[in-house]
Amino acid sequence: MSSQRSSTAMASGREKQIWESYRRLVKQVPLGVIVADPNDDYEFQFVNDNMLSILGYENSRTSLASLKREKVSHITEILYTRTGSPVEAKLRELGAKKKSEFSALVFCRPNMRISDVKVTATIGTWNNKTSAFFFIRNVTKELREEKELRLKNSELESVAYAFSHDLNAPLITLSSFLPIAIEHLEKASKERESLKLIEKARVELDRCKRASDRMQEMFESITELYRIGNGKEKRIDLEVVNAIENVEDILKEKIEESGATITCEGISQTLRVARSHVILILQNLISNAIKYRDPKQSPNIEIGLSEDHANIRHSVFYVADNGVGIPEHNKSKVFMMFQKLRSNDEGMGVGLAIVSRIVSLYQGKIWVEDNSPQGSVFYFTLPEAQKLIADDEGI
């Protein structure tokens, strides 16, 4: 009998050691780990330090008890689909298949940050009880780098197209008319009617000069675009209203010449941005509104915050005009390099590409819709600029 009790005690001791090793392994695994009770709406039973970090709790000593005090105690309170709804369908799938893999969003309450994650969920045993294990990998950085790579590839394709097509025209002009101009000048040195030949040469050289200027402008535009986001721009706390006033000063001549009016109401936002970035966004959007104005009326440009996009977690800024508008088939192209609504328009068609590039640096979005009764509305978000402010203020 004594021997049996001793054997049972030894088995119990080994089981305890195995269990403690198991807990330490789960705690230290280089992924976010959550153990939840599938029979109690997936309430947390265990959360490791890496998961606390993903949730935005940088202090690894944050305990499961403190999470519950903050009313964060169920898996459906932190994991969401792209539409913003809890991942309940994935949890039902887990119950049926015993294993599930899916993408989700994690809403981090302490700093109001949203992270993209990949989730592997499986059913196992925890504390001798059937439990659901969620292994969570933060892929926000990977997705961001992938998005930036896609953007850069798209820009490189646009540059390649520009070099093969847009630059071809001025090069043909130079190669065609320079020899003609030289020939005229050579004849002028030998013939009496030299003034007529010199005038012809001047006309050809003027064409070459315009072609050369176009090439230089194109190279400068490409350089400006690729200078954005080089990491040298210092970010400061900038009031959007002050940036608008700066842009009005920069565009004063264009505004007065066109008779444009610019109104700005309800914007009290302060953003953590590079000053030049916000200036470039507003300057290009306002300049376009003036350029593509309705010839029958003065431009009326309104800048504000949209109340029609409440489903977006970050503030949505807009610049609206009463101009000629943008045809539906061109709305997806206007943010590409060297795209112009009309072939005879001034400029290189790089302004909106620059705006799009800046918005993407702050993990934002930009799009255009029709205005009512006429014109266009450009909407954009700058999540990273708002997140940094939120972090500093401890939101």
Side-chain angles (χ1 to χ4, degrees):
M1 195 72 174
S2 169
S3 172
Q4 186 177 358
R5 280 198 300 270
S6 175
S7 177
T8 302
M10 288 176 64
S12 177
R14 282 196 299 272
E15 184 178 327
K16 186 176 180 180
Q17 286 179 342
I18 292 170
W19 177 245
E20 286 302 322
S21 298
Y22 180 43
R23 283 181 63 91
R24 283 197 299 273
L25 178 64
V26 172
K27 187 174 182 179
Q28 295 171 7
V29 71
L31 293 170
V33 178
I34 295 174
V35 183
D37 187 349
N39 299 313
D40 191 10
D41 295 326
Y42 291 92
E43 183 177 11
F44 294 164
Q45 295 174 282
F46 172 82
V47 179
N48 76 341
D49 289 348
N50 280 324
M51 190 64 225
L52 292 171
S53 179
I54 292 173
L55 286 172
Y57 297 92
E58 302 302 334
N59 185 348
S60 63
R61 289 176 293 178
T62 302
S63 66
L64 182 56
S66 68
L67 286 180
K68 291 185 176 182
R69 281 196 299 272
E70 294 180 34
K71 302 189 181 205
V72 185
S73 57
H74 293 77
I75 197 78
T76 51
E77 290 166 355
I78 61 162
L79 288 183
Y80 294 86
T81 64
R82 278 278 169 197
T83 60
S85 58
V87 292
E88 291 172 347
K90 296 296 182 182
L91 297 179
R92 287 195 295 273
E93 181 183 314
L94 173 63
K97 296 183 178 179
K98 305 298 182 186
K99 185 175 181 181
S100 179
E101 294 181 357
F102 55 92
S103 298
L105 298 174
V106 166
F107 179 47
C108 310
R109 294 169 186 264
N111 52 29
M112 306 299 286
R113 185 179 301 168
I114 299 172
S115 297
D116 285 278
V117 295
K118 293 285 187 183
V119 182
T120 300
T122 186
I123 298 296
T125 301
W126 183 265
N127 280 341
N128 297 317
K129 181 179 178 181
T130 299
S131 302
F133 289 73
F134 295 88
F135 300 94
I136 298 173
R137 182 165 64 94
N138 191 341
V139 294
T140 305
K141 184 178 179 182
E142 293 174 25
L143 293 178
R144 179 183 302 177
E145 290 173 348
E146 183 181 329
K147 180 182 176 182
E148 290 174 353
L149 182 60
R150 284 199 305 268
L151 178 63
K152 287 178 181 177
N153 285 338
S154 175
E155 288 172 349
L156 286 173
E157 288 175 6
S158 299
V159 171
Y161 180 88
F163 275 97
S164 61
H165 293 79
D166 294 4
L167 283 178
N168 198 35
L171 283 172
I172 290 173
T173 301
L174 287 170
S175 61
S176 300
F177 291 104
L178 270 177
I180 296 173
I182 292 169
E183 183 181 343
H184 287 325
L185 290 172
E186 287 176 347
K187 285 183 179 180
S189 65
K190 300 174 183 177
E191 299 182 15
R192 291 181 180 180
E193 296 183 359
S194 59
L195 290 177
K196 287 184 179 179
L197 291 170
I198 290 172
E199 178 59 25
K200 287 182 179 180
R202 188 191 65 78
V203 171
E204 310 304 340
L205 288 172
D206 280 345
R207 289 182 180 177
C208 293
K209 175 68 166 56
R210 289 195 297 273
S212 174
D213 289 344
R214 177 174 171 78
M215 289 176 65
Q216 182 177 356
E217 188 178 353
M218 185 172 289
F219 280 119
E220 289 175 351
S221 298
I222 293 171
T223 301
E224 183 177 5
L225 182 67
Y226 279 89
R227 192 185 299 123
I228 294 168
N230 61 10
K232 295 180 181 179
E233 302 97 335
K234 180 181 178 182
R235 296 192 181 188
I236 62 170
D237 293 350
L238 177 67
E239 293 183 17
V240 177
V241 173
N242 289 343
I244 294 171
E245 292 173 354
N246 289 163
V247 172
E248 287 178 326
D249 288 338
I250 294 170
L251 299 176
K252 185 176 181 181
E253 187 175 333
K254 283 186 178 180
I255 292 170
E256 291 178 351
E257 181 184 327
S258 65
T261 57
I262 299 176
T263 58
C264 171
E265 294 183 4
I267 298 183
S268 58
Q269 257 73 1
T270 298
L271 301 174
R272 177 66 59 80
V273 290
R275 186 183 195 86
S276 61
H277 289 169
V278 175
I279 297 296
L280 280 170
I281 290 174
L282 295 171
Q283 183 177 339
N284 279 295
L285 292 179
I286 293 172
S287 292
N288 272 9
I290 294 173
K291 179 190 293 187
Y292 297 106
R293 60 186 180 271
D294 183 345
K296 298 177 182 178
Q297 59 183 335
S298 298
N300 183 13
I301 303 164
E302 181 183 346
I303 306 169
L305 291 171
S306 173
E307 296 180 357
D308 299 329
H309 296 84
N311 60 318
I312 298 178
R313 295 180 184 273
H314 300 280
S315 298
V316 179
F317 299 90
Y318 70 84
V319 177
D321 63 61
N322 62 338
V324 296
I326 299 174
E328 192 65 35
H329 65 275
N330 276 338
K331 286 179 182 174
S332 60
K333 300 178 181 177
V334 293
F335 301 106
M336 297 171 63
M337 290 177 65
F338 307 119
Q339 293 293 322
K340 297 191 288 186
L341 293 182
R342 299 180 295 236
S343 59
N344 60 344
D345 286 336
E346 293 181 0
M348 300 304 302
V350 177
L352 289 179
I354 288 173
V355 172
S356 179
R357 178 68 177 269
I358 293 170
V359 169
S360 71
L361 286 177
Y362 294 90
Q363 307 307 310
K365 296 180 180 179
I366 183 167
W367 68 98
V368 61
E369 297 179 8
D370 292 331
N371 198 7
S372 179
Q374 72 174 72
S376 303
V377 188
F378 285 85
Y379 296 95
F380 64 93
T381 63
L382 300 170
E384 286 288 314
Q386 290 183 265
K387 178 188 73 63
L388 287 170
I389 290 291
D391 286 351
D392 287 350
E393 293 176 355
I395 295 176

